[in-house]
Amino acid sequence: QVQLVEYGGGLVQAGETLRLSCAASGTIFSINAMGWYRQAPGKQRELVAAITSGGSTNYVDSAKGRFTISMDNAKNTVSLQMNSLKPEDTGIYYCHAEVWYLSRLFDYWGQGTQVTVSS
């Protein structure tokens, strides 16, 4: 079993920055990828940014140029640096991890952390 714990959410004003972090612990042979998803009120959960263990990244268009995802393979952590935040970035941010175990990939989710950006 793998646990994901998120840190760093909060309330900020438009234009400010936040940094989210997520630490994975438990029975981890290796992590294939980690990422951050966002669920805004009344909307479906969407991918914000993801990174593989090899360093390949993927961003939703609205995050490109403002957010940076990074991963520490040795510590099993992932961070999301969010700059120039906008009110539309508001939502619950969930950490996600794809973890290898006995040649199978398993998905794990954190409990979510609230990010609120006021205009």
Side-chain angles (χ1 to χ4, degrees), residues 2-62:
V2 173
Q3 296 79 41
L4 301 178
V5 179
E6 299 127 333
Y7 306 89
L11 170 64
V12 297
Q13 293 187 335
E16 294 184 340
T17 66
L18 271 178
R19 184 177 181 86
L20 304 182
S21 296
C22 172
S25 62
T27 305
I28 300 173
F29 281 77
S30 68
I31 293 179
N32 184 60
M34 298 187 77
W36 291 92
Y37 286 70
R38 171 176 66 207
Q39 187 161 19
K43 295 187 177 181
Q44 290 188 330
R45 191 176 298 187
E46 64 171 350
L47 173 69
V48 176
I51 184 169
T52 69
S53 58
S56 297
T57 58
N58 183 34
Y59 296 90
V60 66
D61 285 345
S62 62

Side-chain angles (χ1 to χ4, degrees), residues 78-100:
V78 64
S79 296
L80 184 67
Q81 177 68 37
M82 303 187 292
N83 299 330
S84 303
L85 282 161
K86 302 176 180 180
E88 50 264 43
D89 295 319
T90 294
I92 301 175
Y93 283 68
Y94 295 91
C95 178
H96 172 259
E98 289 181 345
V99 180
W100 286 106

